[in-house]
Amino acid sequence: MTRTIDAQTSHGPVSFHYCISTPTNDDSDSVDAALPTVLFLHPAYIASSIFHPQFADPTLRRFNLVSLDLLSHGRTQGAVPAVYTEREAAEDVNAFMDALKLPACTVFALSMGTIIALRLALSFPEKVNGLFLVSPLGAPEPEDAANGRRQVFEVWKEAYASEIVDQEALSDSVFGGLQLCWNSQNFGFANALTTITFPQCQSHWPPANFPAFESTTVTFFTSRKGEVYSSEELDKLRKVPIVLAPCSDDIAYPPEYFESFARQLEGGRVTKYTLKGAPHYGSATHWEAVDPVLANFVLEQWKGASVPAAPEAGSVASPFETMLREAGWTGNESDDSDD
């Protein structure tokens, strides 16, 4: 999975790392125009490989599945502008879609990705058929979550305070991020994602890029204060088919946080589907609950020709599987510990 495409964004050129899977090709260079397309937007810290469970699922491989690494994440390369908010991020995604000539998509987004997905629907409504939002961040950042994100950044900075990088401090920073992602659970898939992600973070966020690190993982969230969306924007969002999928065991965002945003969308085309027992990055741990609901949602928004049945189990593979196995994942979570 080494595909990149250059796009001219509002803040300069970006080389986006991306992946396309179709029913017949695990790593395609284009989508099948006769099928619905799902665009995946990842959370902070961990890039597109977090969507391995979706790309490996025959239930979803009936469709075109497209993922990209966002700016300052994964293998995407490009300078982060001095001001980088959800608006710039949505413009980046739009530029990527234009560069690949993607059709309007159902957007599946997780955590940070949900902020971008909502803005994409507002700024470029012609690009969005519907939004499936796991751990939807539609309200101002709670103080505890903001403090946690700030601490991850500050501890990472401290690791570089002397000439010799403090590896223990880097590990502490990573652990802080894992608390947010998985409630500090220890299991094989998460460990492999950490193994993949850590060197990418080191590449993106050396001392010279601390402002980019802060902008894309801290102020991106904490700058969203007061009324995040205007009355006019909320009216627009109520016209968009949306699934809100909060995770019941999310330690950073309490249930009332998600309820406050759901209330703002009352009267709209909104369905709520709670992932019971799931941590913040719940689509990676509770994919068996998420994927069938996503598949039905995609079909509901599709206006084209009839979509063929799902491929047989074992006939498709995730483009992320090789790197995950190289990072130590066995593919069998039953052997993993939650300690």
Side-chain angles (χ1 to χ4, degrees):
M1 198 201 73
T2 57
R3 300 186 189 278
T4 60
I5 190 165
D6 295 333
Q8 186 62 40
T9 72
S10 60
H11 53 81
V14 175
S15 181
F16 287 104
H17 188 266
Y18 73 96
C19 180
I20 299 175
S21 291
T22 70
T24 58
N25 192 334
D26 298 329
D27 191 10
S28 177
D29 59 1
S30 62
V31 299
D32 183 337
L35 297 174
T37 299
V38 185
L39 177 65
F40 290 79
L41 300 181
H42 64 74
Y45 311 124
I46 303 174
S48 296
S49 51
I50 197 169
F51 296 124
H52 162 77
Q54 285 69 47
F55 277 71
D57 189 347
T59 304
L60 296 178
R61 287 292 295 276
R62 304 171 67 184
F63 318 126
N64 300 304
L65 307 184
V66 182
S67 66
L68 75 152
D69 292 350
L70 298 165
L71 197 62
S72 196
H73 286 78
R75 300 181 187 178
T76 286
Q77 298 296 323
V80 178
V83 176
Y84 188 74
T85 69
E86 63 194 70
R87 295 180 186 276
E88 287 74 26
E91 289 170 359
D92 282 2
V93 174
N94 180 63
F96 166 79
M97 294 179 73
D98 284 347
L100 268 186
K101 297 181 171 55
L102 292 181
C105 298
T106 297
V107 181
F108 181 90
L110 173 60
S111 185
M112 180 180 75
T114 68
I115 298 174
I116 302 168
L118 287 160
R119 184 54 58 185
L120 184 71
L122 289 170
S123 299
F124 307 98
E126 72 282 1
K127 300 294 182 69
V128 175
N129 289 332
L131 302 175
F132 196 111
L133 309 178
V134 179
S135 297
L137 305 186
E141 187 79 349
E143 184 177 357
D144 286 348
N147 289 340
R149 294 187 187 279
R150 171 66 60 183
Q151 185 176 21
V152 168
F153 168 66
E154 294 294 344
V155 173
W156 185 276
K157 276 179 60 178
E158 289 174 9
Y160 289 88
S162 61
E163 187 174 336
I164 299 176
V165 178
D166 186 340
Q167 296 298 325
E168 184 176 351
L170 286 183
S171 296
D172 288 343
S173 177
V174 170
F175 180 75
L178 295 177
Q179 285 182 301
L180 170 68
C181 303
W182 319 110
N183 298 356
S184 302
Q185 294 178 20
N186 179 29
F187 56 102
F189 183 56
N191 294 339
L193 287 173
T194 300
T195 299
I196 292 168
T197 300
F198 185 59
Q200 294 173 347
C201 293
Q202 289 179 298
S203 175
H204 281 299
W205 301 324
N209 287 348
F210 283 167
F213 184 11
E214 183 175 22
S215 179
T216 56
T217 69
V218 182
T219 58
F220 186 90
F221 299 89
T222 60
S223 63
R224 306 172 79 241
K225 301 181 183 296
E227 296 297 327
V228 173
Y229 302 107
S230 67
S231 296
E232 181 181 358
E233 288 174 334
L234 288 171
D235 285 340
K236 291 180 179 178
L237 289 175
R238 292 186 188 104
K239 297 175 183 177
V240 180
I242 298 176
V243 174
L244 298 177
C247 298
S248 70
D249 284 12
D250 192 327
I251 63 171
Y253 298 86
E256 54 268 24
Y257 171 87
F258 299 112
E259 291 295 339
S260 69
F261 181 51
R263 285 194 298 271
Q264 289 186 295
L265 297 178
E266 285 180 353
R269 303 169 65 185
V270 178
T271 302
K272 183 180 176 183
Y273 180 72
T274 300
L275 299 182
K276 295 182 179 179
H280 188 58
Y281 287 6
S283 57
T285 57
H286 289 59
W287 60 271
E288 290 178 302
V290 171
D291 291 2
V293 182
L294 172 59
N296 289 334
F297 182 67
V298 173
L299 291 171
E300 287 171 1
Q301 315 316 320
W302 177 241
K303 307 302 182 186
S306 178
V307 178
E312 293 184 7
S315 64
V316 297
S318 162
F320 307 110
E321 182 169 348
T322 297
M323 72 168 71
L324 286 163
R325 290 189 179 278
E326 290 174 349
W329 181 58
T330 65
N332 183 7
E333 296 300 347
S334 64
D335 294 332
D336 294 326
S337 170
D338 288 335
D339 297 335

